[in-house]
Amino acid sequence: MRKLLPLLLAVFTVIALGPTAQARIAETPSAVGWRVVDGQVVWTSPKPLTGDAPVEFWSGGKLLGRASPSRDNRTFSLPGKAIGDPSKIEVRAGGQRLDAPDPKAKADSRAPAALPPLLPKGSVDSGTPGRYQTSTGEYTLDPVPLPGLNGSTEMQAVVVAPKNAPGNRPLVLFLHGRHQACYSPTDPEADPVGWPCPAGSLPVPSYRGYLQTQQLLASQGYVTVSISADAINALDYQVADGGAQARSSLVRLHLEHWADWAGSGRGSAPQIVKDAPVADMSKVLLVGHSRGGEGVNQAALDSLAPPPFDSGYSGPVRWTIRGNVFIAPTIFGQNPTPDVPSVTFLPACDGDVYNLQGQQYVDSTRGVSKGKALHSALYIAGANHNFFNSEWTPGVSTAPSVDDYHAGPTPNPLCDPGQPARLTAPQQRAVGATYVAAAAHLFLDHDLRVQPLLDGSGVRAPSADPAHVLSAALGAERTPVVIPDGNTKISGSGKLCDEINTATACLTGRAQFQSPHTVALNSSSTEAGREAIDVRWSSAGTVAVIEPPKPVLLVGNQSLALRMIVPPNSAGTSFDVTAVNSSGGRTALGKITLDGLPGQDRTFSYWAQEVRVPVPPVLQVAELELAPTTGSGEAWLLDAHGWRPGLPEPAPAKLTRVDLGTLKAAEGDSGSKTYQIPVTVTGEAGGTLKLFRADASGRNYTEQALTLAPGQHTVDVPAIVVGNTRWSADYTVGAQIKAAKGTVVGSYQGGVTVTNDDPVPTVTVAPTASTAAGGALNWHISLSAPADSDIYVIGDALVPATGPELSTADVDPAWLRSLGVDPAPARPLSQVTGFWLAPLLLAGQVAADFTIPTVAHTPAGPDKHVRLKVEAYPPEINLHTEITGTVTGG
């Protein structure tokens, strides 16, 4: 994030989860008096919010939805949504509450666990510089238009390459995330908005933030390029996917040039490219940070299964993406590319993508394709979101920058700056460089000596010390043994539980929102394939017996790998693991022991660690027994697989690609009409998906399985639109899809956008008001006709034309605090940052009031005045006027 963004006002109620925003919250009193039911609700921030984390809206502990930002990144809306009980609403971004201070966190002084053991003998420390000198330079090409973005996108990059490296060399491409696009070199507090950057401001050089990693890779023989995406960051409010497809297209446009420069077009290449070795386009690794992670995932998908629509690049695919590295990434659609190997960084102190949703780049690949590609997650203690990029790091960045971790009201020794467990910025960049290089060695060069760093083997790279980095993985041709679902029989101390928020949730209370494995796609109360096994015992030896649907034969496996969660800060949870065959024969496999991750109220520490027990060359598993050896406790088993060393070729399958689209429909005056949400199916193999359809409120999704027969290209996804004659803001009857088996998903959300076809009502506001000091100024607001959407009437304080101005000392201090405004020091209302009045006309209402309660002084003072600039939202309500008020004897 560019800077801390204190939220000085919380009078607008938010009901959206938009592809934007990290905010840091000032310690202000709670906002009160929220009144929201049906219709469109809006929240406006005093300052632009840019970042990778979404603004989140919760009600009673339940996530409500996701909305799009406006051009200025201040106003967020989600038409047609209902929020239920307004007293239960919470507004969050980056894990922190926006509308009120976070509750005091529990302090935790537990030190991190001991470092994992070093790499075994014969392995390679990927953080060690190579033998090549390096050269660095930049190129700038003509800007390009991208569909959906009203403006051209820059084609700019920095290249770091080895000198005198023989032959063609693998290519590593970096894509930064959704940072602020522009900054003022003369005013660090400015927030320039727009693209191209407004006069007097400059683009933030986020693409130069990975030079340390690029230089390490180049010294090891890789050609590297880091590309700029500032225009997309400035313009992605215009597209529903938050710019994921645009970022994919930008990556592929750069790869198109590199493919040219590796062949007949080398003579026209920029000088730095000519000076570098020729890129081997059959060996490409993509590295994406934050929203850039979602972009490179989409680029990998689009390279294997080109989009069936104009995406901004439609040329031939003349490259092979061998792997992806996702650094603190977003994955809003939860549709990873299953046949491209990946490594995901999960920084434990991430203050932006705080829920570590990137874990779904691992979890959501399970069972989708053949399972040959390795998908690894790295849990990095003490790391935040920003410091992997030097241009997002205070003290070394060109533009103003911040530590994105938000320190709470109580000390956090795990994440607070300066604490022993918190990584410094140089330490964190060293971790990033080491593990990106490990992925390059493994995926591009098939160097198995680095594989233990990434595949759950539980070892560390010395060059990343003192960082605690834990790995857990799926894929690489593991043999499924236990994949919990309704067909799994469980007895003893175990039971089936659901990762998603239902009555059978694995984690309850606060823990439910402290695990990256339980991050939901939407508000559906279920999601098939996301079950686990809850093992709870009160005495040692209380066995959990797990029976797969049919016996599993392991041949040539070396270990049984289990992914398990134990409570944070717990120590020494252990189980004896036994396999039982179909004849009742028992094989004791050994003991597993886990210590909980260091955790605190603000950390996502319910993360599944990988543990292994050895297995004989041939083993049949009809039942798996977990016998706890400690007196009492609880643990959760996500899955168990047979594991063998090595890395098979991913061999991507020809999976069916599915994309949801949108269409517009007029609401109509009466009755209901059924429309089909556009669905495009590319490929012949068929497969299955999870389809989620929103109800009429747009708030709740329900899930159903969707099966495509081989060769099927049409799918019925109905949406019902109900007509009437009352005006409403446009809204969407939507749907989302997620791959289940044999499919990949490009555009995961779509729907029918219902456009208003009724007259827009007019709002009238009384122009003046007066009261004696101690009374209330009151301006009456009336609507010409009832509406089906909520309407805000916003009053912004201005300097009065004449006379003394009403100040914070002249109004009720409790009322001011309810708006998030501190009455002290006394100052004119027009000088209070973010002082707005926001009466709300609820759907169906035709009257409301602006009210300012005043206080009397002894002795009485002169008459005082207030002037308000009045506008309405949604913007279709054309209201632009001024009103005045006078307090006599003030």
Side-chain angles (χ1 to χ4, degrees):
M1 280 300 300
R2 150 83 160 74
K3 65 172 69 176
L4 299 183
L5 297 171
L7 190 67
L8 301 177
L9 181 69
V11 297
F12 292 89
T13 313
V14 195
I15 183 156
L17 174 66
T20 172
Q22 168 186 344
R24 294 294 147 259
I25 313 307
E27 297 300 325
T28 56
S30 297
V32 297
W34 294 9
R35 301 184 307 153
V36 180
V37 285
D38 296 321
Q40 177 163 304
V41 187
V42 174
W43 173 68
T44 299
S45 166
K47 291 204 171 191
L49 303 181
T50 55
D52 299 272
V55 171
E56 299 179 345
F57 299 33
W58 298 73
S59 177
K62 183 175 182 179
L63 181 64
L64 292 176
R66 186 182 302 168
S68 299
S70 63
R71 178 182 180 275
D72 63 3
N73 282 317
R74 293 181 61 217
T75 303
F76 305 86
S77 62
L78 191 61
K81 295 290 183 176
I83 66 167
D85 184 351
S87 68
K88 297 181 179 179
I89 297 298
E90 293 185 6
V91 184
R92 294 183 174 271
Q96 313 306 322
R97 189 166 177 183
L98 303 187
D99 57 315
D102 275 339
K104 288 186 177 295
K106 295 178 182 177
D108 175 17
S109 59
R110 179 171 180 252
L115 284 169
L118 287 167
L119 280 161
K121 187 177 180 180
S123 300
V124 171
D125 184 351
S126 54
T128 303
R131 66 180 185 272
Y132 298 106
Q133 298 294 311
T134 66
S135 59
T136 302
E138 298 200 10
Y139 66 77
T140 301
L141 308 175
D142 290 339
V144 295
L146 292 175
L149 302 184
N150 185 22
S152 293
T153 299
E154 77 274 23
M155 289 286 289
Q156 187 172 10
V158 58
V159 176
V160 184
K163 292 182 178 179
N164 303 317
N168 293 2
R169 312 303 298 186
L171 178 67
V172 182
L173 182 147
F174 292 77
L175 176 63
H176 65 81
R178 194 179 191 269
H179 199 66
Q180 185 160 341
C182 307
Y183 76 102
S184 168
T186 59
D187 181 4
E189 296 301 316
D191 290 294
V193 174
W195 190 263
C197 289
S201 63
L202 298 171
V204 176
S206 296
Y207 69 103
R208 296 176 184 156
Y210 309 103
L211 284 172
Q212 179 174 334
T213 304
Q214 289 185 261
Q215 288 160 356
L216 174 65
L217 289 166
S219 77
Q220 296 170 346
Y222 302 97
V223 176
T224 72
V225 58
S226 180
I227 67 176
S228 180
D230 280 336
I232 295 176
N233 288 347
L235 302 172
D236 63 9
Y237 69 92
Q238 300 170 357
V239 286
D241 69 353
Q245 186 65 64
R247 292 179 174 91
S248 165
S249 299
L250 182 66
V251 168
R252 291 178 292 130
L253 286 164
H254 278 274
L255 290 177
E256 176 190 32
H257 284 290
W258 280 90
D260 287 341
W261 299 334
S264 60
R266 190 161 184 81
S268 61
Q271 190 59 49
I272 182 58
V273 177
K274 291 179 181 178
D275 293 342
V278 175
D280 182 350
M281 300 306 291
S282 70
K283 293 182 177 180
V284 176
L285 177 73
L286 302 182
V287 183
H289 187 177
S290 210
R291 292 286 181 96
E294 205 155 12
V296 301
N297 174 68
Q298 187 75 38
L301 168 63
D302 291 342
S303 296
L304 287 175
F309 48 81
D310 178 15
S311 67
Y313 178 76
S314 58
V317 177
R318 293 178 288 157
W319 53 82
T320 302
I321 297 173
R322 298 285 183 175
N324 283 331
V325 179
F326 306 117
I327 300 174
T330 59
I331 180 170
F332 297 133
Q334 296 192 358
N335 279 292
T337 304
D339 290 335
V340 175
S342 68
V343 174
T344 301
F345 292 10
L346 304 176
C349 300
D350 195 320
D352 191 349
V353 187
Y354 73 102
N355 59 11
L356 308 186
Q357 61 185 264
Q359 177 64 42
Q360 295 306 313
Y361 282 109
V362 178
D363 292 2
S364 292
T365 63
R366 194 177 66 187
V368 173
S369 190
K370 296 180 292 185
K372 289 182 176 291
L374 175 70
H375 296 286
S376 166
L378 304 177
Y379 189 92
I380 306 172
N384 74 354
H385 186 86
N386 284 355
F387 289 0
F388 292 108
N389 185 311
S390 62
E391 289 295 338
W392 299 356
T393 304
V396 295
S397 61
T398 302
S401 57
V402 297
D403 179 350
D404 57 276
Y405 173 73
H406 171 60
T410 55
N412 180 357
L414 304 176
C415 296
D416 284 351
Q419 294 292 328
R422 176 66 191 272
L423 297 179
T424 65
Q427 289 170 340
Q428 185 168 325
R429 288 196 295 275
V431 172
T434 297
Y435 284 90
V436 170
H441 290 308
L442 185 60
F443 298 151
L444 299 179
D445 296 333
H446 207 78
D447 187 346
L448 301 183
R449 295 174 298 172
V450 301
Q451 186 169 347
L453 291 174
L454 305 174
D455 72 348
S457 294
V459 296
R460 78 179 197 270
S463 58
D465 284 351
H468 292 67
V469 182
L470 302 177
S471 65
L474 292 178
E477 219 165 36
R478 299 180 185 212
T479 303
V481 176
V482 174
I483 308 296
D485 62 18
N487 297 316
T488 306
K489 296 180 180 179
I490 307 165
S491 59
S493 59
K495 66 175 183 179
L496 190 70
C497 61
D498 196 319
E499 293 179 4
I500 308 303
N501 182 14
T502 67
T504 58
C506 300
L507 301 173
T508 58
R510 289 186 62 86
Q512 189 174 10
F513 307 108
Q514 291 181 287
S515 174
H517 302 282
T518 63
V519 176
L521 174 63
N522 51 47
S523 59
S524 174
S525 61
T526 63
E527 184 182 326
R530 294 186 67 174
E531 290 83 20
I533 298 171
D534 185 350
V535 182
R536 185 180 304 183
W537 66 99
S538 57
S539 61
T542 308
V543 179
V545 181
I546 304 161
E547 182 181 347
K550 60 182 180 180
V552 178
L553 185 64
L554 298 179
V555 179
N557 288 269
Q558 190 176 95
S559 303
L560 180 69
L562 304 96
R563 291 196 304 154
M564 297 192 74
I565 300 172
V566 293
N569 307 318
S570 60
T573 302
S574 62
F575 298 90
D576 288 327
V577 183
T578 300
V580 182
N581 64 27
S582 55
S583 301
R586 301 170 62 82
T587 302
L589 301 179
K591 178 178 287 189
I592 56 174
T593 301
L594 300 96
D595 290 333
L597 299 174
Q600 190 253 7
D601 280 359
R602 299 169 184 270
T603 58
F604 270 60
S605 304
Y606 286 84
W607 179 74
Q609 303 175 57
E610 181 167 332
V611 287
R612 297 177 187 166
V613 288
V615 297
V618 179
L619 177 69
Q620 188 197 58
V621 182
E623 292 179 351
L624 188 68
E625 294 182 354
L626 300 178
T629 63
T630 48
S632 63
E634 188 172 16
W636 299 266
L637 174 67
L638 266 61
D639 46 45
H641 291 80
W643 176 89
R644 58 169 59 87
L647 189 70
E649 285 293 324
K654 290 189 176 298
L655 304 179
T656 302
R657 174 172 174 149
V658 184
D659 294 88
L660 284 187
T662 59
L663 59 83
K664 289 186 177 181
E667 180 185 60
D669 292 339
S670 63
S672 62
K673 186 173 182 179
T674 300
Y675 295 86
Q676 290 296 327
I677 296 174
V679 183
T680 303
V681 180
T682 308
E684 307 297 325
T688 58
L689 302 122
K690 304 170 190 178
L691 171 65
F692 301 89
R693 293 172 55 198
D695 63 12
S697 74
R699 175 183 174 186
N700 297 305
Y701 286 83
T702 54
E703 178 190 7
Q704 69 183 76
L706 185 62
T707 300
L708 301 174
Q712 178 180 343
H713 294 101
T714 58
V715 182
D716 290 338
V717 182
I720 299 174
V721 175
V722 179
N724 63 29
T725 56
R726 297 206 305 193
W727 174 88
S728 68
D730 294 351
Y731 64 96
T732 298
V733 181
Q736 298 177 348
I737 52 173
K738 185 172 177 178
K741 188 173 183 62
T743 55
V744 290
V745 172
S747 174
Y748 77 96
Q749 58 185 347
V752 176
T753 299
V754 183
T755 58
N756 172 68
D757 55 7
D758 302 313
V760 180
T762 57
V763 176
T764 303
V765 184
T768 61
S770 63
T771 185
L777 288 171
N778 194 78
W779 297 265
H780 188 67
I781 305 167
S782 59
L783 192 65
S784 62
D788 278 346
S789 289
D790 297 341
I791 297 172
Y792 277 100
V793 182
I794 303 163
D796 192 2
L798 304 174
V799 177
T802 60
E805 181 178 357
L806 206 66
S807 80
T808 57
D810 301 316
V811 298
D812 183 349
W815 175 78
L816 277 177
R817 292 189 185 98
S818 76
L819 302 180
V821 174
D822 190 340
R827 58 218 187 271
L829 294 183
S830 63
Q831 294 180 16
V832 177
T833 303
F835 178 83
W836 296 317
L837 301 179
L840 174 63
L841 290 161
L842 299 175
Q845 290 185 343
V846 294
D849 293 285
F850 278 115
T851 302
I852 299 180
T854 69
V855 296
H857 299 292
T858 303
D863 294 353
K864 295 182 180 179
H865 307 274
V866 65
R867 180 167 67 115
L868 301 174
K869 179 178 71 174
V870 178
E871 297 177 316
Y873 194 93
E876 298 99 301
I877 307 298
N878 186 19
L879 176 65
H880 302 278
T881 189
E882 290 186 3
I883 59 177
T884 61
T886 300
V887 177
T888 59

